[in-house]
């Protein structure tokens, strides 16, 4: 028996591609189509962060997370036919994290207004905003369309984001 040589794997940049929605995603999208102006599929979270945050590093960390997570780069392509709805996985993140300043006492009203606007999953499945209340008091607003997340995956995203941000070299984190 002769041993075959192992050929090295060549990694190439991922290209944009189309994928079919799962049955559950299709049902969520059907609900969205029936009620387009209602935020039925918004899965908003406020993550309170204490301590000094480097907002540039935070934005870069979330960008890295989105680049590593296909579902966060997907957009829904709806041709108008229920059985022809698909997701397109983009090469690059569809939008960055916004960074804003806001007094803490305005956060709840802002969040209530923000969650009322349905996420347009044909453009981006998330809404990410880093809010500075003062130098050591922050909130990360992360709203993800339900077509791309559930409660458990939202928690996993937060944990992974924390790992990337806290790493000395975010590029070295193995995702």
């Amino acid at each position: 028996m002769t041993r075959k040589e192992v050929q090295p794997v060549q990694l190439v940049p991922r290209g944009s591609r189309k994928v079919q929605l799962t049955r559950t995603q299709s049902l969520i999208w059907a609900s969205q189509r029936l009620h387009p102006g209602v935020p039925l599929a918004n899965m908003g979270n406020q993550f309170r962060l204490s301590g000094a945050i480097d907002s540039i590093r935070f934005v870069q960390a979330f960008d890295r997370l989105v680049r590593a997570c296909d579902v966060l780069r997907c957009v829904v392509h709806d041709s108008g036919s229920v059985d022809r709805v698909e997701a397109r996985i983009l090469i690059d993140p569809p939008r960055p994290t916004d960074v804003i300043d806001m007094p803490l006492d305005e956060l709840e009203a802002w969040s209530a207004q923000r969650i009322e606007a349905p996420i347009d999953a044909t453009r981006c499945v998330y809404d990410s905003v880093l809010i500075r209340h003062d130098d050591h008091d922050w909130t990360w607003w992360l709203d993800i369309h339900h077509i791309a997340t559930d409660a458990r995956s939202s928690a996993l995203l937060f944990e992974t984001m924390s790992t990337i941000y806290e790493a000395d070299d975010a590029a070295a984190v193995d995702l």
Side-chain angles (χ1 to χ4, degrees), residues 43 149-159:
M43 302 280 293
T149 193
D150 60 16
R152 179 64 186 136
S153 60
S154 290
L156 291 171
L157 286 172
F158 179 80
E159 292 168 11

Side-chain angles (χ1 to χ4, degrees), residues 119-131:
I119 291 178
D120 182 358
T122 64
R123 296 179 184 266
C124 184
V125 295
Y126 62 85
D127 178 25
S128 175
V129 183
L130 180 62
I131 306 164

Side-chain angles (χ1 to χ4, degrees), residues 62-63 65-67 69-76 88-98 119-128:
F62 186 67
D63 182 79
L65 176 62
V66 173
R67 287 179 185 282
C69 189
D70 288 353
V71 74
L72 292 177
R73 291 190 327 279
C74 80
V75 293
V76 176
R88 290 188 179 156
I89 310 299
L90 306 176
I91 296 170
D92 295 314
R95 64 178 293 254
T97 296
D98 295 326
I119 291 178
D120 182 358
T122 64
R123 296 179 184 266
C124 184
V125 295
Y126 62 85
D127 178 25
S128 175

Side-chain angles (χ1 to χ4, degrees), residues 98-164:
D98 295 326
V99 180
I100 63 173
D101 290 315
M102 176 189 308
L104 181 57
D105 62 355
E106 295 177 14
L107 178 63
E108 290 309 314
W110 179 90
S111 298
Q113 182 179 16
R114 195 79 172 203
I115 197 73
E116 288 178 8
I119 291 178
D120 182 358
T122 64
R123 296 179 184 266
C124 184
V125 295
Y126 62 85
D127 178 25
S128 175
V129 183
L130 180 62
I131 306 164
R132 183 172 72 104
H133 308 296
D134 71 39
D135 289 341
H136 296 318
D137 189 13
W138 301 75
T139 299
W140 180 30
W141 169 261
L142 182 61
D143 188 5
I144 302 176
H145 195 286
H146 192 40
I147 208 164
T149 193
D150 60 16
R152 179 64 186 136
S153 60
S154 290
L156 291 171
L157 286 172
F158 179 80
E159 292 168 11
T160 304
M161 176 63 179
S162 178
T163 299
I164 295 169

